[in-house]
Amino acid sequence: MTSDGLLRLLLIAESVSLAVMVVAMVAVEVRAGRREVRDGRLRLESYRRVSAALLQPGEETSRLAIRSLRRLRPSVRLRLLADLRHAVAVNNWSDVIALADTAGLIAGARADCASRRWHRRLRGLRTLTILGTGVELAGLHLRDPDSRVRGEAARLVGVTADPDQVVVLTDLLHDPAAGCRFASADVLARLGSSAVPAVVQYLGRPEPHNLALALQVAAAIADPRFLRPVRALARHGDPEVRRSVATVCAAVGGAEAAATLVAHLDDPSPAVRAEAVAGLGRLQHWAEAPAVAARLRDPSFDVRRAAGLALWRLGGPGHVYLRREQRGDDRFAADMARQVLELPLSARAAG
Amino acid sequence: MGGGALAAIGAASGALTSVGLGFFALSNGFQTVLLSAAAREQRHHVRATGGEALDQLLGSAVAPRVSILAPAFNEAATIAQSVRALLTLAYPRIEVVVVNDGSSDATLDVLRDHFGLQPIHPIFRRSLETRPVRGLYRSSVHPELVVVDKVNGGKADALNAALNVVSGQLVCALDADTLIEADALLRIVRPFLYDERTIASGGTIRVANASRVEGGRVVDARVPRQVIPGVQAVEYLRAFLFGRLGWNRLGGNLIVSGAFGLFRRESLIAGGGYANDTVGEDVELVARVRRRAREDGVADLVEFVPDPVAWTEVPESARVLGRQRDRWQRGLADVLWRHRSVIGRPRYGALGLVATPYFLVVELFGPVFEVLGLLGVAGGMATGSLGFPFVAVFTAVAYGWAFLLSMAAALMEQLGYPRYRGVTQRLLLVLWSLVEHVGYRQLTVVWRLRGMWRFALGRADWGTMSRRGFRA
């Protein structure tokens, strides 16, 4: 074929592709417009039917609600149930699950969870998470080969808060995938006190595992039950772990926590010292004002800054030390003390 | 003219035509590779995010803190609305740092009046050198708002001043006139949550010129009906939805738009912050941070995320657009010159072997090859070595291919992340996709050549960018 002939052939191919694209574009748009109208109408109807079935339970109202749910596209049905989740009282939610089950939604989600394709398993778990059911599948998928699926399984555990599954959930704190680690920590922090035994158990495990992240969760929950295992980690070799220990102590508070913070004031890592000194400020542990004031002479700017602001938070005793340091012989301590004392009120309040 | 001269012209024309032909094949061929990579990436992304409950992240106690950096220079008319829109972004742990970069208008007064600013003493580590900071303020009504008032030093200097005071692990750099969709931060943060190697992520920028804006948000997205902003709407879709999305898969994302990008703060500080002496500070920053990461043997993942959207106002006149493209070209030339030792070096992975060579040949020298090709075709026609029918078919094939690529971008938008709704909007996109390659593209070639010429002369000015303002 000559180059001229080839070019003409290419031109024809381009023209056909172009025509197909324009037609596809218009067709998709027309279909989307129609769908939007239809989905909106059916969704509203379904919302009304489901509400009626919840308010006036009965065979006829349930039948109509199920029929209306079945007429919805799966994605619209799921969005509707997600909205209902926020609107329906907890006691009535089991009725919604029963409707969704009869409408085939839960069976469909379970079938998706058994799929070989990761995106279908993900979709199935997301449906179950929204509905708040199927926790027995979560345990299986916490060990799924796909990290996104494992992360979603963690969220399902969060919805149902099953104690056995929560223990398994802590394993994800040292998952190789960052997304799983984040999902696990997020869910554990949301679970609050019901996650404490599992996290305490995790903190006491032999290494290697992700102590820093577990401590971040502990700090977010701030439960006194964490103090014992956390204090046991005060001399850990990793500065990030020791810094997190200080964060947990500052979040939990109390005499034991303050003692650990004071011990951390002489830590070789500036990040740990800064966290400890800031923690004493947050706890307003004025008895340790001299130890905090000593940190105004720290070689690290961050520690000096944290010490200055902590002294301000300690109130009267802290202010006395700030003024003394302002006139002291250490230039760096005096400068930091001056800067803090000159802070406008709003800045001091913000810390 | 003698036969020898004609033969020489014919030979030169033939060579130039081959250059043009080669360039079109290379440019469009690579774009087609990018398109197929982007299509796979989009399919993967849509599957991974379908049915995702974004609000799960709201209220998270372990989500990384995000600091938004918003430099402002003489933005008194719009700053209050822009800042209010930033403060209402959906994200659990947020800090907004506005830098008043020596504005000569009432920008600082407006901020003070609207947000009850209280002076705070600037106790912060000056990790990056900047022009002097005159004052630091915190809002008494929104404690998450911090305002830095400093001597004018340009956008890069303002961003560096903000970097010195932020407290977040992640920083989001914005232009003050960028309108971000309310859930955009929840979306753009994903790469940082899912992969610890991520050092930067970028979102999509779209054209807001004809769209209706309320309370700092685009509430009715429309394709502009004017030619220049309309064509740019298609251009932006192509650049982001298959350009940068395709680069994700090829591992060579070199650009995170200065108008909307999220960075790991420690990487920015370690890289030395934004460069003051370039007009392409956003490209330069990514190139420098990635290069440094590669040299230090640490992670350098830069991800483009297609679904977080920021809207911007684009130039509506050819004069202003020309200045912008001239500046972009100078910025690109500057970045490639600064990082010339990266080009073609296996040590830098995809950055050295694919991205920088592509940007050098196609993006930087593309206008030169295109003009040479057109000259060759003209010479060939003049000497009779090329017939009009051949030239017409060749031109139609070359530009038709590019037209198809633009159409594919519009289709990807429709199938993946639709914002423009209605058949009229779609047909407008088709029209502007066509116009982009007939007339508009040739104009940009001229502006880009001018940019290269001015770069060679050492010009480093930004030029004046006049804006009309959003449609309320």
Side-chain angles (χ1 to χ4, degrees):
Chain A
M1 188 184 282
T2 63
S3 60
D4 197 38
L6 183 67
L7 282 174
R8 282 174 199 280
L9 200 65
L10 277 173
L11 191 59
I12 291 167
E14 281 180 359
S15 307
V16 171
S17 307
L18 181 64
V20 169
M21 280 170 116
V22 173
V23 169
M25 199 179 252
V26 172
V28 167
E29 198 58 44
V30 170
R31 185 161 164 258
R34 284 187 185 159
R35 260 190 175 177
E36 198 175 318
V37 174
R38 183 173 177 272
D39 286 348
R41 186 172 49 78
L42 291 179
R43 189 185 142 94
L44 185 65
E45 186 196 326
S46 193
Y47 197 94
R48 282 184 186 145
R49 298 280 186 211
V50 173
S51 304
L54 293 176
L55 292 170
Q56 296 169 316
E59 206 173 295
E60 180 61 12
T61 51
S62 293
R63 192 181 61 78
L64 289 172
I66 290 162
R67 200 177 70 174
S68 69
L69 278 173
R70 279 187 178 145
R71 289 175 71 192
L72 293 174
R73 286 191 299 122
S75 60
V76 182
R77 202 184 304 161
L78 201 58
R79 276 207 303 275
L80 173 77
L81 289 168
D83 289 350
L84 278 169
R85 173 116 207 163
H86 298 297
V88 171
V90 178
N91 294 342
N92 286 342
W93 187 245
S94 55
D95 297 336
V96 177
I97 291 179
L99 287 175
D101 197 10
T102 317
L105 201 63
I106 294 176
R110 285 177 186 278
D112 278 344
C113 286
S115 171
R116 289 171 58 191
R117 297 178 179 204
W118 66 267
H119 56 95
R120 292 192 67 175
R121 295 198 301 278
L122 186 64
R123 188 174 66 187
L125 283 172
R126 279 183 177 154
T127 305
L128 294 176
T129 306
I130 287 171
L131 293 172
T133 185
V135 68
E136 71 283 1
L137 289 176
L140 180 69
H141 289 291
L142 284 173
R143 295 179 183 88
D144 195 279
D146 189 276
S147 63
R148 285 154 297 205
V149 177
R150 291 199 300 277
E152 196 55 45
R155 301 210 178 278
L156 181 56
V157 172
V159 172
T160 51
D162 180 88
D164 293 337
Q165 304 287 6
V166 173
V167 173
V168 182
L169 187 60
T170 55
D171 284 341
L172 288 194
L173 287 173
H174 55 267
D175 192 279
C180 288
R181 297 198 297 271
F182 173 76
S184 163
D186 187 42
V187 169
L188 288 167
R190 281 170 201 273
L191 286 172
S193 59
S194 52
V196 173
V199 178
V200 166
Q201 189 186 332
Y202 185 84
L203 289 170
R205 277 194 208 175
E207 292 194 64
H209 54 295
N210 196 342
L211 283 174
L213 190 57
L215 288 167
Q216 209 182 329
V217 172
I221 299 173
D223 190 289
R225 283 175 283 174
F226 285 126
L227 269 185
R228 202 167 158 188
V230 163
R231 292 186 73 197
L233 296 167
R235 305 231 170 270
H236 195 274
D238 182 357
E240 182 56 28
V241 170
R242 295 200 303 276
R243 196 185 65 79
S244 302
V245 166
T247 311
V248 179
C249 289
V252 173
E256 281 179 74
T260 308
L261 290 173
V262 171
H264 273 94
L265 290 178
D266 294 319
D267 194 280
S269 161
V272 179
R273 294 199 300 274
E275 191 65 33
V277 85
L280 285 169
R282 278 201 294 279
L283 294 176
Q284 301 192 319
H285 198 74
W286 59 268
E288 293 302 335
V292 174
R295 286 295 126 217
L296 275 177
R297 294 162 181 257
D298 197 282
S300 159
F301 171 86
D302 293 328
V303 180
R304 292 199 303 275
R305 179 182 184 274
L309 293 171
L311 283 171
W312 183 265
R313 286 186 162 203
L314 294 182
H319 295 191
V320 169
Y321 278 98
L322 279 170
R323 290 202 186 88
R324 188 181 291 173
E325 288 295 340
Q326 194 183 7
R327 294 187 300 272
D329 55 350
D330 187 307
R331 267 189 321 124
F332 293 104
D335 180 59
M336 187 55 74
R338 178 188 60 78
Q339 292 200 58
V340 174
L341 287 168
E342 285 177 4
L343 275 178
L345 204 60
S346 59
R348 291 174 197 147
Chain B
M1 197 179 288
L6 266 179
I9 292 172
S13 302
L16 290 178
T17 308
S18 303
V19 168
L21 190 70
F23 171 71
F24 272 113
L26 177 74
S27 163
N28 286 343
F30 195 84
Q31 296 272 328
T32 308
V33 171
L34 269 182
L35 173 66
S36 73
R40 288 173 66 89
E41 191 79 356
Q42 176 165 323
R43 192 176 69 155
H44 188 274
H45 184 261
V46 167
R47 281 176 169 176
T49 57
E52 175 192 39
L54 275 174
D55 56 355
Q56 279 176 345
L57 194 56
L58 287 173
S60 169
V62 291
R65 186 172 169 82
V66 171
S67 298
I68 296 179
L69 319 183
F73 177 69
N74 290 346
E75 309 268 359
T78 55
I79 192 73
Q81 191 191 34
S82 305
V83 171
R84 200 157 278 131
L86 295 179
L87 288 168
T88 53
L89 284 174
Y91 192 78
R93 303 170 72 203
I94 199 169
E95 172 187 55
V96 177
V97 180
V98 178
V99 184
N100 176 40
D101 190 28
S103 298
S104 53
D105 67 357
T107 300
L108 187 61
D109 295 330
V110 171
L111 286 168
R112 200 178 276 136
D113 294 345
H114 280 79
F115 300 102
L117 298 186
Q118 301 285 337
I120 56 178
H121 200 94
I123 310 177
F124 57 84
R125 183 192 288 276
R126 287 161 182 79
S127 308
L128 302 168
E129 281 302 314
T130 67
R131 302 271 291 165
V133 171
R134 292 190 291 224
L136 199 60
Y137 304 83
R138 189 183 291 278
S139 165
S140 54
V141 279
H142 297 281
E144 66 276 28
L145 171 64
V146 172
V147 175
V148 181
D149 181 34
K150 64 178 280 292
V151 174
N152 181 263
K155 186 181 168 190
D157 193 65
L159 288 167
N160 285 339
L163 275 175
N164 278 334
V165 304
V166 297
S167 61
Q169 296 107 299
L170 305 178
V171 290
C172 178
L174 291 178
D175 281 347
D177 59 348
T178 302
L179 307 174
I180 303 185
E181 292 190 351
D183 58 2
L185 277 182
L186 294 172
R187 295 176 190 275
I188 200 172
V189 80
R190 284 194 211 106
F192 291 93
L193 303 182
Y194 297 147
D195 197 331
E196 62 269 43
R197 295 171 304 157
T198 307
I199 55 169
S201 67
T204 306
I205 310 290
R206 294 203 185 189
V207 173
N209 289 51
S211 303
R212 197 155 59 83
V213 175
E214 280 176 18
R217 301 264 187 269
V218 170
V219 291
D220 182 17
R222 299 207 158 257
V223 179
R225 286 173 182 269
Q226 290 170 281
V227 180
I228 288 180
V231 174
Q232 287 176 86
V234 174
E235 220 182 0
Y236 275 58
L237 285 182
R238 202 187 59 236
F240 285 89
L241 281 188
F242 86 68
R244 295 185 196 175
L245 196 55
W247 279 114
N248 270 3
R249 201 154 269 249
L250 302 182
N253 251 320
L254 193 58
I255 306 177
V256 169
S257 171
F260 182 38
L262 193 63
F263 296 85
R264 205 176 283 283
R265 178 176 176 259
E266 63 192 40
S267 301
L268 284 192
I269 303 265
Y274 288 84
N276 270 311
D277 55 349
T278 177
V279 289
E281 81 291 339
D282 43 4
V283 190
E284 201 284 329
L285 178 75
V286 176
R288 181 155 38 88
V289 171
R290 286 198 68 180
R291 178 185 177 172
R292 193 187 162 101
R294 279 269 163 184
E295 286 168 354
D296 295 348
V298 295
D300 71 331
L301 194 63
V302 176
E303 280 276 303
F304 168 73
V305 195
D307 56 346
V309 175
W311 298 82
T312 192
E313 189 190 354
V314 298
E316 293 195 343
S317 74
R319 202 163 48 87
V320 179
L321 179 66
R323 281 202 291 259
Q324 185 196 53
R325 296 308 157 96
D326 168 331
R327 177 165 57 80
W328 286 3
Q329 193 72 3
R330 278 183 286 139
L332 179 64
D334 183 39
V335 172
L336 290 172
W337 177 251
R338 283 170 192 243
H339 300 284
R340 58 190 178 280
S341 59
V342 172
I343 302 171
R345 296 271 299 276
R347 177 187 181 191
Y348 297 100
L351 183 69
L353 293 177
V354 190
T356 43
Y358 167 82
F359 277 93
L360 179 73
V361 176
V362 178
E363 298 292 343
L364 185 66
F365 285 109
V368 177
F369 294 133
E370 201 162 334
V371 166
L372 289 178
L374 291 173
L375 285 175
V377 169
M381 284 177 72
T383 54
S385 57
L386 289 176
F388 178 76
F390 174 83
V391 170
V393 175
F394 170 69
T395 310
V397 168
Y399 287 110
W401 192 353
F403 174 36
L404 273 179
L405 291 170
S406 296
M407 285 286 296
L411 201 58
M412 281 177 74
E413 189 264 353
Q414 186 182 24
L415 295 175
Y417 321 99
R419 296 293 190 282
Y420 302 120
R421 307 306 296 268
V423 174
T424 316
Q425 301 295 306
R426 293 289 149 203
L427 292 176
L428 268 174
L429 284 176
V430 175
L431 174 67
W432 298 140
S433 299
L434 177 65
V435 173
E436 184 190 3
H437 300 286
V438 185
Y440 178 87
R441 178 179 172 142
Q442 291 70 25
L443 265 177
T444 61
V445 165
V446 173
W447 294 325
R448 288 162 72 194
L449 284 173
R450 188 178 74 193
M452 290 176 75
W453 174 247
R454 295 182 74 204
F455 173 73
L457 294 178
R459 298 288 296 271
D461 58 300
W462 277 63
T464 313
M465 298 293 294
S466 56
R467 295 183 192 279
R468 190 175 58 90
F470 295 112
R471 191 164 75 89

